[in-house]
Amino acid sequence: MNNNKIKVHFTDNYLINPTNPVTINLIGAGGTGSKVLTVLMEMNYSLIQLRHSGLQVRLWDDDLITDANLGRQRFAESEVGLYKSVALINRANRWVGTNWKAETQKFKKSESENFSENILSNIYISCVDSVSARFEISDILKSLNNGRYYADRPLYSLDFGNSKNTGQTILSTIGTIKQPNSEKYETVDHLPFITDEFGDLLKQSETNDDTPSCSLAEALEKQDLFINSTLAQMGSSLLWSLFRNGLTENRGFFLNLKNFHSQPIKIA
């Protein structure tokens, strides 16, 4: 008889019963980030209808909208030349009446003195292009784990990454999350950062081509049309399950859109 319990992670209670809107720092407003923001709008409205406090989002990106961003990202021709973060947040606020915020700077250590309390949030969602940026974000989040309790206490990070046809989303805890006693499950209080668990693979996959695309056709040679939106939907579904189900058996997934295959990453 197999007595092995299923390993799960129970959501921190603050996400389920918050006294204020759950705060989210969304880092990156490009192909994936712009679509994750749309999903967060839907999630926020749905949570409020379920008598939850909802979400308060701050979007970080210092890039300006170019012609190459049209079509694959959530931007209109009339927005070319504007900051991506400002255009998206203004649209979201007008659409659903939120008071979300935009930052026109990178989320990085060298500018941390300008962050003040804006850097603090319950959830960090990273949708960045470079491996170096992901390591830098991880270093910042590790430095925030000071154990103090406050409304914006860092709890989780959700990392989105992709190449042309493949990608992954991985959920991590910032420090440890106290777990309830369970007779049915084996509870796991710590989920490692992607940079700790897959750091060597990330470095091997790093490309040196950070040159901005000059057209949509050129951009599509680097990232296919639907890889970002598919990742955004699937990854945000993992976040939604934390709110609605209160626990998860999976902490992410690998996706190959070319052959329509996805592989869940079980909690270990």
Side-chain angles (χ1 to χ4, degrees), residues 101-115:
K101 306 298 182 182
E103 295 286 348
T104 57
Q105 60 176 312
K106 289 184 182 296
F107 189 93
K108 58 186 296 185
K109 273 187 173 179
S110 61
E111 300 176 13
S112 60
E113 292 182 359
N114 299 324
F115 287 160

Side-chain angles (χ1 to χ4, degrees), residues 26-39:
L26 175 56
I27 307 165
T32 302
S34 62
K35 288 162 185 170
V36 169
L37 185 72
T38 301
V39 176

Side-chain angles (χ1 to χ4, degrees), residues 206-258:
E206 175 76 288
T207 62
N208 295 319
D209 183 12
D210 293 328
T211 307
S213 302
C214 297
S215 67
L216 176 60
E218 185 178 339
L220 290 174
E221 290 300 315
K222 300 177 181 179
Q223 298 185 56
D224 205 22
L225 185 58
F226 296 111
I227 183 65
N228 301 110
S229 55
T230 305
L231 277 176
Q233 292 288 329
M234 292 181 65
S236 298
S237 179
L238 174 60
L239 181 60
W240 176 248
S241 72
L242 291 180
F243 286 103
R244 291 295 289 148
N245 300 329
L247 80 166
T248 180
E249 297 178 26
N250 303 302
R251 52 180 297 258
F253 60 89
F254 293 107
L255 172 69
N256 187 323
L257 197 57
K258 189 173 183 179

Side-chain angles (χ1 to χ4, degrees), residues 9-25 56 117-124 140-141 143-157 172-179 189 243:
H9 173 80
F10 281 91
T11 310
D12 187 274
N13 188 61
Y14 185 77
L15 262 61
I16 300 172
N17 297 298
T19 54
N20 297 293
V22 171
T23 51
I24 296 178
N25 271 320
Q56 177 65 33
E117 294 183 357
N118 294 345
I119 196 174
L120 296 176
S121 70
N122 304 129
I123 300 171
Y124 296 80
I140 293 174
L141 299 189
S143 71
L144 298 177
N145 181 31
N146 56 21
R148 292 184 302 159
Y149 185 83
Y150 36 72
D152 292 328
R153 179 166 57 99
L155 297 171
Y156 295 98
S157 71
S172 305
T173 59
I174 302 174
T176 59
I177 304 294
K178 185 177 180 180
Q179 300 288 286
D189 62 2
F243 286 103

Side-chain angles (χ1 to χ4, degrees), residues 118-138:
N118 294 345
I119 196 174
L120 296 176
S121 70
N122 304 129
I123 300 171
Y124 296 80
I125 302 176
S126 55
C127 307
V128 295
D129 293 331
S130 71
V131 171
S132 59
R134 295 161 91 177
F135 274 91
E136 190 158 19
I137 291 169
S138 293

